[in-house]
């Protein structure tokens, strides 16, 4: 893995430096930026996007993509909210999130992997289907003013930090260990590099892909528990734009959208940088409407720095994207 | 006499209306290098894909040590001791040498049900294999993407050795290599056979074939049309088989 | 390629007939010329944008244009800002075309010169374009589109909306001819399908792809012009969701996401199918959320059918 | 292949059949098109509309877009016109978006009017207003100043930047502050789209950048939960007064927790009721008197013939004390 570490090391340094520069700049302009409360606010705002980003990193790692993740989080959030309303207690409700997410992940995985539909098209279709499901599950009304059980558990301070932060850190560690220290991680990278080669090497490509989408579902579900704890509300439009934001953050972090190269630390830094910029710009008085523009420019600038290094070879890419079913027949 | 290591009987493979392989018989013994020759589309690649479990045969059977086997996947073939080094090498450029050598059958240690990679042990073993092959690769952690073509062949051979393969199938191992690298790879091939393994070599390069092979089989239009001991033939005869100019081939093709 | 197209069209046509028949039975009053007008009217923006999207995707290299919706919004805003700033209003159509093309060419530069992946490059410009349109207007619409545009934008010819008759139809016909009978069109298929060999035979892949992104921008600019002429004002979120809807239409229309396969007739058919479906459900007063779900399911189903056919043929 | 295609067609047919709603159209129909479906506010309007329809003997049609997208809304209105629905009311997303359909409606002699959110110059028949925009903007500021003081710093979190009714209210808030409370600082409005998450994020950032912030106004009902939640999480209950235009049911938990000091709204189901009633008057060709109590309503409403505004009444202010008296 030496080379990959070296490659993403560069990007991580870049992002880390960008975070620090942003921190310095904003704290120069606004005296309120480098305060404990504000830093905590920024960190807390990272939670959902980061958890979804973790799963998205793995999905992009296998060379897939999932544009339905935000709505998956929404569906899981409904499950969590309904359980809270039914007085199921914080533990059960909280765990219902990842569980529901995992189940939805199974559905996504089945459609994408078993249906052999290109991931971007399949998840675009599922995005619509899940949205309709959110609407049906909500029945036209919001879940609003949900009980604070989960909020008080995840928000309880330990040494001045809300419990939520260590929980997110543990989720990160689990995914990190699985990716970095188990065969599955290698299989993800091999699959993302080339399905055909991975299969020839004896990797059960389908199973790896399937697992990746389920992991992503579980991550979305965990994000749902955090979402409910933080916002105690589910509206019909929940998560509609989260997927694109997550993809942007993960790509910023140095994970290749073509698969085979991923950085979990980069994802963390990408999310952090986005949130720092959003928070900082508001603090220095830039209207929130400009935030998407900054996100977009950041994406183009950071990835543009790789211009000319031949990262993107369109020819091999086209080959790479073709479905395995057809490739087999050609030999 | 012991049965041959591998015996393929009447293997056919059809893709829809296209017959890629037509009733091919072939045997391979331990310790020998068998070269498969033939024009593009002659069926060599299809044949080794059948042999390595990548494609199921439409007809015919494969015997290992005299016993019929059925390969549903490359893993099945690997378990029977058949390792294939494909033309595209099947190496993941984004993984290290050690990771590639062990890909799909990593060494792990179970902790609480989680299979942790034994990176150090894998690295040690790969270092040993690379030394054994005299491959001149110092760092098993180097990404395969940074290696030369010959070095990649060495990694692929390492992988085959690591599988305890008794038959190593190599598809055009020297196709894209410089002269010096080609020599190196041919030496590796010879060393494999000398260590008691069987090697099937697909090549277009007559010079390479005559340098390293013990036996030569020629494919044409999905059939095996000739088989010769290297000592009993010469490049001109083989070329005439390949191009179809040889009288035997003409006679055969008149019939059908 | 041809087999795929020929299968897509019957499926789309079959579904379309089914929807129309269902509507005729359930809501006979919907069988009126005004319904046709409505369907075509609301197809116009989507059809134009989908045409550009289809060209980009056909050109392969993982081509995709997520910025189309943002481009439509931003072009409409730019055009009206210039108009109110005193640029002669007869130039407004020209401004739309030029602005759209330029925004599209920015994508082209990012993809062909900076070698950014199209998905990433256009995701970036999607944020930038749609965000800028909202931010510079503070979200409010800019009214007062030149009066001479309105008769065209809202007029009909024998029940057919003028923008559809004068823009969508000719452009699709032209584009189909272009793809079928010109070298440029064959190139698109060639490098969309197999870029390496296309480069080897000397097709200027990068230049053609650059032009394809410019074309997509041009189509978005035209869509912006239509929206101005139709609504009489520029709205900073007029293009909202067009990126995903156009993608849906293009996929549904039988264009392979990897490029090089599919045709434009299918795309137009898919656009008409989608809008007819929406219209039908609206006429039956079915909750709009079902549209979202049904269209999503339809997309998956049509691709599944295609896959089943593929698997059967190769088995 | 034939089999799969048949299957596909069958599925589609089943879908089409399962959504049958064709009914005999002997009754006059009044339609209401909200800005977005699936939110409690418009849900309540729908319920009120249905009650009115039952009471007044008309048929009620409720159709709205899934996203706050003016073109989708336009498409819905156009289709209602094509259906020949006799009276159509719209909660306008964008004031000029009605222009293309107004003529089409006139040509078919369909009464097109607005409700909840207006398009004043579009040629609509009338506007059913929950309260005057001015009243809403002024009330929320007056109530805020009562609680946060005459020198308070107040932030605004709105929803879609393109929603014309929300922008009108914000305009009146700014006007009120300028004219009456010179020492109050009203921050520029920030926009969260329709997402509670973004609203919370923005409100949190706003409090961090303005530690002296005394109040936050959630303008769109979609942003209420987010703003309230941000105040709770920041531990600013008591220090920052939250408020917004949201229904008692949405605001209840936050009013009780103290994150919201009050909430300003009217009864949206009454507004829905009045909308259908107005539609019926238009269909029947009746003139609406300057002050009248519509059948089935408990209080009078006023109508200004000059501006065409039918006013439901004054906005209500909900607090922790009275919120349990309401259920909408």
């Amino acid at each position: 893995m030496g080379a990959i570490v070296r490659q993403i090391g560069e990007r991580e340094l870049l992002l880390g430096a960008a975070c620090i520069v942003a921190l310095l700049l904003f704290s120069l302009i606004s005296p309120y930026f480098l305060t404990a409360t504000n830093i905590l606010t920024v960190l807390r705002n990272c939670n959902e996007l980061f958890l979804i980003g973790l799963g998205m990193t793995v999905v992009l790692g296998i060379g897939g993509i999932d544009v339905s993740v935000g709505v998956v989080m929404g569906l899981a959030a409904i499950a969590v909210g309904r359980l809270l309303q039914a007085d199921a207690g914080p533990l059960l409700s909280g765990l219902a999130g990842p569980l529901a997410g995992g189940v939805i992940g199974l559905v996504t995985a089945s459609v994408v992997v078993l249906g052999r539909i290109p991931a971007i098209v399949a998840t675009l279709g599922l995005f619509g289907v899940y949205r309709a499901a959110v609407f049906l599950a909500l029945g036209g009304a919001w879940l609003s003013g949900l009980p604070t059980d989960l909020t008080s558990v995840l928000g309880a301070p330990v040494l001045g930090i809300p419990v939520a932060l260590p929980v997110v850190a543990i989720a990160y560690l689990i995914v990190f260990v699985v990716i970095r220290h188990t065969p599955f991680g290698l299989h993800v990278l091999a699959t993302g590099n080339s399905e055909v080669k991975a299969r020839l090497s004896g990797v059960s490509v389908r199973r790896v892909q399937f697992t990746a989408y389920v992991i992503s579902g579980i991550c979305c579900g965990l994000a749902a528990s955090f979402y409910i704890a933080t916002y105690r509300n589910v509206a019909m439009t929940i998560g509609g734009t989260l997927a694109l934001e997550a993809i942007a953050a993960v790509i910023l972090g140095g994970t290749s959208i073509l698969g085979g190269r991923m950085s979990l630390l980069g994802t963390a830094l990408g999310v952090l940088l986005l949130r720092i910029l959003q928070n900082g710009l508001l603090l220095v008085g830039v209207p929130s409407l400009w935030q998407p523009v900054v996100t977009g420019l950041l994406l183009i600038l950071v990835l543009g720095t790789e211009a000319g290094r031949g990262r993107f070879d369109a020819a091999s890419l086209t080959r790479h994207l073709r479905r395995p079913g057809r490739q087999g027949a050609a030999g | 006499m012991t049965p041959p290591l591998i015996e393929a009987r009447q293997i056919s493979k059809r893709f829809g209306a296209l017959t890629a392989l037509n009733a091919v018989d072939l045997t391979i013994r331990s310790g020998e290098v068998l070269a498969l020759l033939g024009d593009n589309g002659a069926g060599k690649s299809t044949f080794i894909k059948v042999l390595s479990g990548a494609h199921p045969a439409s007809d015919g059977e494969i015997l290992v040590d005299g016993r019929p086997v059925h390969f549903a996947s490359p893993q099945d073939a690997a378990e029977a001791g058949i390792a294939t080094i494909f033309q595209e090498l099947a190496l993941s450029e984004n993984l290290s040498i050690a990771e590639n050598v062990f890909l799909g059958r990593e060494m792990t240690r179970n902790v609480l049900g989680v299979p942790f990679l034994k990176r150090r042990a894998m690295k040690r073993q790969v270092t040993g294999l690379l030394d054994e092959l005299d491959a001149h690769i110092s760092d098993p952690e180097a990404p395969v993407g940074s290696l030369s073509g010959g070095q990649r062949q060495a990694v692929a051979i390492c992988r085959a050795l690591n599988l305890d393969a008794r038959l190593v199938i190599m598809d055009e191992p020297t196709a894209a290599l410089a002269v010096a690298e080609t020599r190196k790879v041919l030496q590796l091939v010879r060393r494999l056979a000398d260590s008691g393994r069987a090697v099937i070599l697909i090549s277009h390069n007559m010079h390479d074939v005559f340098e390293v092979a013990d036996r030569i089989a020629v494919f044409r239009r999905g059939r095996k049309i000739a088989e010769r001991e290297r000592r009993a033939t010469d490049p001109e005869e083989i070329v005439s088989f390949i191009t179809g100019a040889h009288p035997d081939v003409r006679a055969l093709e008149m019939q059908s | 390629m041809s087999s795929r197209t020929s299968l897509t069209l019957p499926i789309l046509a079959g579904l379309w007939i089914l929807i129309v028949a269902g509507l005729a039975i359930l809501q006979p009053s919907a069988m009126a010329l005004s319904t046709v007008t409505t369907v075509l009217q609301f197809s116009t923006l989507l059809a134009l944008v989908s045409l550009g999207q289809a060209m980009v995707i056909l050109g392969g290299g993982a081509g995709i244009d997520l910025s189309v919706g943002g481009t439509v919004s931003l072009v409409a805003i730019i055009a009206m800002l210039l108009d109110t700033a005193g640029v002669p209003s007869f130039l407004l159509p020209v401004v739309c075309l030029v602005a759209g093309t330029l925004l599209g060419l920015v994508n082209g530069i990012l993809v062909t010169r900076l070698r950014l992946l199209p998905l990433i490059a256009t995701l970036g410009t999607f944020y930038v374009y749609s965000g800028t349109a909202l931010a510079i207007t503070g979200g409010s619409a800019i009214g007062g589109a030149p009066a001479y545009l309105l008769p065209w934008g809202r007029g009909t010819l024998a029940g057919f909306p003028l923008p559809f008759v004068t823009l969508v139809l000719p452009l699709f016909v032209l584009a189909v001819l272009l793809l079928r009978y010109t070298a440029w069109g064959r190139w698109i298929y060639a490098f969309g399908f197999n870029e390496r060999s296309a480069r080897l035979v000397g097709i200027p892949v990068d230049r053609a792809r650059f032009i394809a992104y410019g074309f997509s921008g041009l189509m978005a600019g035209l869509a912006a012009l239509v929206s101005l002429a139709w609504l009489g004002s520029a709205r900073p979120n007029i293009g909202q969701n067009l990126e995903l809807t156009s993608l849906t239409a293009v996929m549904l229309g039988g264009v392979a996401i990897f490029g090089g396969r599919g045709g434009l007739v299918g795309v137009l058919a898919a656009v008409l199918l989608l809008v007819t479906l929406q219209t039908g459900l609206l006429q039956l007063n079915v909750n709009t959320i079902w549209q979202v779900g049904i269209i999503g399911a339809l997309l998956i189903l049509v691709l599944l059918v295609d896959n089943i056919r593929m698997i059967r043929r190769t088995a | 292949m034939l089999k799969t295609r048949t299957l596909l067609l069958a599925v589609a047919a089943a879908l089409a059949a399962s959504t049958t709603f064709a009914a005999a159209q002997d009754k006059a129909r009044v339609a209401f098109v909200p800005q977005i479906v699936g939110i409690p506010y418009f849900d309540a309007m729908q319920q009120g509309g249905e009650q009115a329809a039952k009471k007044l003997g008309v048929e009620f049609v409720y159709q709205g877009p899934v996203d706050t997208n003016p073109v989708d809304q336009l498409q819905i209105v156009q289709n209602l016109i094509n259906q020949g629905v006799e009276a159509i009311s719209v909660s306008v997303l964008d004031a000029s978006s009605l222009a293309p359909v107004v003529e089409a409606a006139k040509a078919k002699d369909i009464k097109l009017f607005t409700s909840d959110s207006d398009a004043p110059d579009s040629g609509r028949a009338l506007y059913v207003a929950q309260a005057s925009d001015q009243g809403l903007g002024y009330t929320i500021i007056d109530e805020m100043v009562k609680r946060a003081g005459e020198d308070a710093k107040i932030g605004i979190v709105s929803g879609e930047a393109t929603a014309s009714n929300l922008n009108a209210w914000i305009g009146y808030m700014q006007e009120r502050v300028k004219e009456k409370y010179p020492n109050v600082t009203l921050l520029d409005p920030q926009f969260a789209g329709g997402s509670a998450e973004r609203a919370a994020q923005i409100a949190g950032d706003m409090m961090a950048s303005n530690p002296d912030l005394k109040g936050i106004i959630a303008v769109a009902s979609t942003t209420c939960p987010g703003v309230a939640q941000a105040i709770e999480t920041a531990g600013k209950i008591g220090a920052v007064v939250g408020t917004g235009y949201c229904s008692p049911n949405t605001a209840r938990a936050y009013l009780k927790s103290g994150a919201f000091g009050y909430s300003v709204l009217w009864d949206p189901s009454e507004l829905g009721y009045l909308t259908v009633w107005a539609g019926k008057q238009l269909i029947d060709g009746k003139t609406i008197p300057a002050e009248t109590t519509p059948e089935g309503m408990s209080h009078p409403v006023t109508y200004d013939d000059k501006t065409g505004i039918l006013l439901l009444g004054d906005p209500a202010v909900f607090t922790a004390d009275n919120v349990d008296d309401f259920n909408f």
Side-chain angles (χ1 to χ4, degrees):
Chain A
M1 197 169 287
I4 299 161
V5 171
R6 248 166 273 147
Q7 277 181 10
I8 58 182
E10 247 171 60
R11 177 67 69 81
E12 284 161 353
L13 283 179
L14 178 68
L15 287 180
C19 284
I20 291 167
V21 169
L23 282 173
L24 287 177
L25 264 176
F26 287 134
S27 56
L28 281 180
I29 306 174
S30 165
Y32 310 114
F33 186 75
L34 268 187
T35 57
T37 30
N38 192 48
I39 299 295
L40 275 182
T41 307
V42 172
L43 287 178
R44 191 168 36 237
N45 285 339
C46 288
N47 287 346
E48 291 83 21
L49 188 62
F50 174 62
L51 287 171
I52 292 179
L54 271 187
M56 185 67 80
T57 309
V58 181
V59 168
L60 291 184
I62 57 160
I65 196 168
D66 188 349
V67 297
S68 71
V69 282
V71 199
V72 172
M73 183 195 81
L75 272 177
I78 295 173
V80 178
R82 289 259 187 262
L83 278 174
L84 277 179
Q85 279 181 333
D87 276 331
L91 189 68
L92 193 62
S93 316
L95 289 179
L99 187 72
V103 171
I104 304 165
L106 280 174
V107 177
T108 309
S110 306
V111 173
V112 176
V113 182
L114 302 185
R116 298 204 199 195
I117 305 177
I120 189 166
V121 190
T123 55
L124 184 62
L126 285 173
F127 174 74
V129 175
Y130 291 155
R131 271 200 86 181
V134 166
F135 184 89
L136 285 183
L138 285 177
W142 291 343
L143 294 184
S144 203
L146 291 167
T148 53
D149 310 20
L150 208 53
T151 315
S152 41
V153 172
L154 284 174
V158 173
L159 305 173
I161 320 169
V163 172
L165 287 179
V167 174
V168 170
I170 290 170
Y172 171 82
L173 269 181
I174 292 176
V175 179
F176 179 81
V177 166
V178 166
I179 291 304
R180 188 75 176 78
H181 292 289
T182 71
F184 176 74
L186 294 182
H187 296 178
V188 165
L189 289 171
T191 303
N193 181 62
S194 158
E195 274 183 39
V196 176
K197 290 181 179 183
R199 187 173 293 119
L200 289 173
S201 301
V203 173
S204 23
V205 170
R206 294 282 200 88
R207 199 164 67 197
V208 170
Q209 291 171 327
F210 205 90
T211 315
Y213 283 100
V214 174
I215 289 179
S216 172
I218 294 173
C219 287
C220 293
L222 192 59
S225 295
F226 276 83
Y227 185 93
I228 291 293
T230 315
Y231 307 113
R232 288 167 49 213
N233 176 74
V234 182
M236 200 203 61
T237 49
I238 184 169
T241 53
L242 260 179
L244 290 186
E245 210 181 357
I247 292 171
V250 173
I251 298 171
L252 266 185
T255 294
S256 165
I257 203 158
L258 301 177
R261 186 161 57 95
M262 52 186 184
S263 164
L264 294 169
L265 183 57
T267 297
L269 289 170
V271 171
L272 191 63
L273 181 60
L274 279 186
R275 290 298 191 233
I276 288 179
L277 285 178
Q278 288 173 349
N279 171 278
L281 288 173
L282 204 75
L283 257 61
V284 301
V286 178
S288 53
L289 288 175
W290 285 103
Q291 290 180 0
V293 180
V294 174
T295 306
L297 286 177
L298 196 65
L299 205 56
I300 295 171
L301 281 179
V302 171
L303 282 122
T305 58
E306 290 181 345
R309 289 202 215 163
R311 278 263 162 79
F312 165 42
D313 168 12
S316 69
L317 174 69
T318 318
R319 202 160 37 91
H320 172 99
L321 281 174
R322 297 211 180 277
R323 274 172 287 181
R326 253 175 291 158
Q327 234 168 18
Chain B
M1 187 179 145
T2 52
L5 176 62
I6 310 280
E7 186 174 359
R9 283 185 189 161
Q10 295 292 305
I11 298 291
S12 296
K13 176 70 190 174
R14 285 178 291 276
F15 295 107
L18 177 81
T19 304
L21 276 182
N22 194 351
V24 173
D25 288 313
L26 205 63
T27 58
I28 306 113
R29 296 184 179 282
S30 295
E32 72 168 346
V33 176
L34 168 67
L36 300 190
L37 286 169
D39 218 336
N40 286 334
K44 302 162 299 186
S45 289
T46 311
F47 179 72
I48 62 161
K49 279 190 171 145
V50 169
L51 212 53
S52 65
H55 285 331
S58 306
D59 267 315
E61 61 176 349
I62 298 170
L63 286 75
V64 175
D65 295 327
R67 282 187 302 275
V69 290
H70 177 72
F71 298 150
S73 70
Q75 282 98 307
D76 291 355
E79 271 158 40
I82 299 177
T84 310
I85 299 168
F86 288 101
Q87 201 168 349
E88 57 266 38
L89 283 180
L91 296 178
S92 297
E93 294 87 348
N94 58 340
L95 299 183
S96 75
I97 296 169
E99 286 164 345
N100 264 291
V101 169
F102 278 94
L103 191 63
R105 32 182 294 143
E106 295 80 3
M107 295 165 82
T108 56
R109 169 192 311 118
N110 246 303
V111 181
L112 300 170
V114 182
F116 281 89
L117 290 171
K118 288 158 77 173
R119 285 188 183 278
R120 210 168 299 161
M122 294 197 287
K123 184 180 161 187
R124 211 178 309 125
Q125 183 157 340
V126 171
T127 310
L129 287 169
L130 289 171
D131 284 351
E132 187 189 323
L133 284 173
D134 193 18
H136 293 292
I137 301 173
S138 51
D139 181 14
E141 301 274 273
V144 164
S146 69
L147 301 182
S148 72
Q151 288 173 316
R152 290 184 197 202
Q153 286 292 345
V155 174
I157 292 170
C158 256
R159 193 177 148 76
L161 288 180
N162 192 48
L163 284 165
D164 272 332
R166 294 190 293 158
L167 168 63
V168 179
I169 302 173
M170 303 179 81
D171 192 356
E172 297 271 8
T174 58
L177 299 188
V179 177
E181 294 225 287
T182 302
R183 296 220 60 79
K184 193 97 210 147
V185 170
L186 292 178
Q187 280 167 19
L188 288 177
V189 171
R190 201 58 248 174
R191 219 168 288 153
L192 274 177
D194 294 345
S195 69
R197 296 174 174 88
V199 178
I200 293 182
L201 181 72
I202 291 187
S203 182
H204 277 117
N205 189 319
M206 206 59 65
H207 181 260
D208 290 0
V209 168
F210 273 81
E211 181 171 333
V212 79
D214 299 305
R215 203 149 48 91
I216 295 166
V218 181
F219 278 59
R220 187 175 159 81
R221 294 181 185 167
R223 294 166 180 234
K224 187 190 81 177
I225 51 162
E227 196 174 327
R228 295 281 188 278
E229 293 291 323
R230 182 193 57 188
R231 280 177 301 249
T233 182
D234 55 55
E236 284 92 287
E237 189 191 21
I238 297 296
V239 168
S240 68
F241 276 124
I242 294 173
T243 56
H246 195 282
D248 291 2
V249 184
R250 288 200 178 160
L252 195 76
E253 285 176 358
M254 290 292 244
Q255 284 170 25
S256 52
Chain C
M1 174 179 85
S2 53
S3 66
R4 170 68 199 256
T5 318
S6 62
L7 183 69
T8 305
L9 280 177
I11 291 185
L12 294 179
L15 282 170
W16 190 81
I17 290 168
L18 201 81
I19 292 166
V20 173
L23 193 59
I25 296 165
L26 300 174
Q27 188 78 289
S29 67
M31 294 297 112
L33 185 62
S34 63
T35 308
V36 178
T37 313
T38 307
V39 168
L40 296 182
Q41 185 96 63
F42 285 91
S43 300
T44 304
L45 294 189
L46 182 58
L48 288 172
V49 169
S50 301
L51 176 58
Q53 183 79 273
M55 285 290 195
V56 169
I57 292 180
L58 275 176
I64 196 168
D65 190 348
L66 289 181
S67 73
V68 281
T71 310
V72 177
S73 303
L74 188 54
V75 168
I77 294 299
I78 290 175
M80 280 310 293
L81 280 179
L82 288 179
D83 189 66
T84 44
V87 172
S89 54
F90 68 87
L91 283 177
L92 191 107
V94 182
V95 171
C96 285
L97 302 194
V98 171
T101 310
L102 287 180
L103 293 179
L105 289 179
V106 170
N107 287 328
I109 288 173
L110 292 176
V111 171
T112 60
R113 294 276 172 275
L114 291 185
R115 303 250 158 236
L116 282 179
L117 267 171
L119 190 80
I120 298 170
T122 59
L123 179 64
T125 50
F126 155 77
Y127 277 122
V128 174
Y129 295 169
S130 54
T132 306
L134 269 175
I136 57 178
T137 56
S140 46
I142 308 174
Y148 73 88
L149 280 174
L150 298 181
W152 172 69
R154 297 178 189 169
T156 56
L157 182 74
F160 289 82
L162 283 177
F164 192 87
V165 177
T166 55
L167 272 187
V168 177
L169 279 183
L171 278 171
F172 265 89
V173 170
L174 206 68
V176 166
L177 294 179
L178 194 82
L179 278 188
R180 265 195 205 154
Y181 299 111
T182 68
W184 199 81
R186 298 328 292 176
W187 289 353
I188 286 236
Y189 279 110
F191 66 71
F193 194 73
N194 187 338
E195 175 156 359
R196 188 158 287 163
S197 46
R199 282 187 195 275
L200 287 177
V201 300
I203 294 176
V205 174
D206 282 340
R207 202 174 58 201
R209 197 166 278 157
F210 180 70
I211 293 171
Y213 281 97
F215 179 79
S216 178
L218 174 64
M219 290 302 109
L222 280 175
L225 178 65
V226 172
S227 84
L228 289 176
W230 179 30
L231 303 172
S233 63
R235 231 175 306 282
N237 64 343
I238 184 76
Q240 193 185 348
N241 293 348
L242 269 180
E243 53 283 334
L244 293 187
T245 332
S246 65
L247 207 54
T248 307
V250 171
M251 298 294 108
L252 206 56
V255 174
I257 186 83
F258 318 111
R261 285 197 319 147
L264 297 175
V265 183
V267 174
L268 186 57
V271 168
L272 292 178
L273 176 76
L274 286 178
V275 181
T276 308
L277 181 68
Q278 287 173 351
T279 305
L281 292 173
L282 283 174
Q283 291 278 339
L284 296 174
N285 290 326
V286 178
N287 193 324
T288 38
I289 192 70
W290 285 108
Q291 293 174 13
V292 181
I294 290 175
I295 289 170
L298 199 64
L299 186 59
I300 294 176
L301 269 176
V302 168
L303 270 113
L304 267 182
V305 168
D306 183 51
N307 275 358
I308 290 165
R309 189 181 61 103
M310 283 282 204
I311 290 162
R312 281 205 189 155
R313 211 176 46 178
T314 52
Chain D
M1 181 52 241
L2 200 65
K3 236 185 259 171
T4 39
R5 198 188 311 168
T6 327
L7 185 74
L8 197 69
L9 295 186
V11 170
L15 273 174
S18 67
T19 51
T20 309
F21 276 85
Q25 258 115 47
D26 41 359
K27 288 190 217 163
R29 288 166 296 172
V30 181
F32 174 60
V33 181
Q35 295 185 339
I36 184 171
V37 290
I39 75 172
Y41 176 81
F42 287 118
D43 227 41
M45 276 191 77
Q46 181 189 7
Q47 282 161 21
E50 273 160 7
Q51 279 169 18
K54 210 181 278 172
K55 189 106 183 172
L56 304 174
V58 295
E59 193 186 325
F60 181 60
V61 180
Y62 178 80
Q63 270 299 1
V66 179
D67 297 294
T68 49
N69 183 333
V71 177
D72 289 353
Q73 193 182 42
L74 194 61
Q75 188 177 10
I76 291 165
V77 175
Q78 180 67 55
N79 272 294
L80 290 168
I81 292 172
N82 290 353
Q83 282 184 53
V85 172
E86 286 79 1
I88 303 168
S89 58
V90 187
S91 171
V92 181
L93 262 170
D94 200 333
S96 49
S97 68
L98 273 187
V101 291
V102 170
E103 277 169 48
K106 281 204 178 117
K108 291 191 86 172
D109 198 25
I110 285 168
K111 313 295 179 199
L112 191 67
F113 63 109
T114 56
S115 177
D116 179 64
S117 171
D118 197 14
D121 305 321
S122 61
R124 43 82 174 147
L126 58 79
Y127 168 45
V128 184
Q130 55 278 55
S132 67
D133 291 340
Q134 189 183 20
L136 285 167
Y138 282 13
T139 307
I140 210 157
I141 287 293
D142 290 344
E143 292 288 329
M144 178 60 88
V145 170
K146 251 192 247 167
R147 288 167 173 82
E150 299 233 350
D151 54 353
K153 194 187 225 183
I154 301 166
I156 298 176
V157 181
S158 188
E160 295 292 345
T162 50
S164 43
N165 56 339
L166 306 184
N167 291 339
W169 302 342
I170 294 171
Y172 281 111
M173 289 180 211
Q174 289 162 336
E175 185 183 294
R176 183 65 159 183
V177 165
K178 209 165 134 201
E179 286 174 359
K180 196 163 172 203
Y181 308 109
N183 294 326
V184 165
T185 317
L186 198 58
L187 300 175
D188 283 338
Q190 303 287 355
F191 299 93
S195 137
E197 188 195 345
R198 292 281 295 132
Q201 207 182 318
I202 289 174
D205 292 347
M206 203 182 250
M207 284 185 281
S209 60
N210 303 281
D212 51 342
L213 196 71
K214 288 288 184 333
I216 303 180
I217 300 171
V219 181
S221 68
T222 46
T223 56
C224 279
V227 167
Q229 200 55 50
I231 294 175
E232 285 184 13
T233 351
K236 292 260 191 179
I237 290 178
V240 174
V241 179
T243 187
Y245 298 107
C246 41
S247 74
N249 284 353
T250 303
R252 182 169 292 117
Y254 310 121
L255 290 170
K256 295 263 167 82
S257 78
F260 265 23
Y262 64 102
S263 158
V264 174
L265 203 74
W266 48 96
D267 185 339
S269 65
E270 270 197 335
L271 185 62
Y273 192 101
L274 186 62
T275 300
V276 172
W277 179 83
K280 171 99 163 100
Q281 306 306 304
L282 287 171
I283 294 169
D284 296 347
K286 290 185 189 154
T287 46
I288 302 172
E291 184 165 332
T292 177
T293 304
E295 182 191 354
M297 281 183 72
S298 55
H299 61 89
V301 297
T302 55
Y303 181 66
D304 181 349
D305 194 42
K306 221 164 41 221
T307 55
I309 294 178
L310 178 63
L311 197 63
L312 178 64
D314 291 327
V317 176
F318 306 103
T319 62
D321 299 328
N322 70 1
V323 67
D324 286 332
D325 303 340
F326 303 92
N327 184 25
F328 61 87

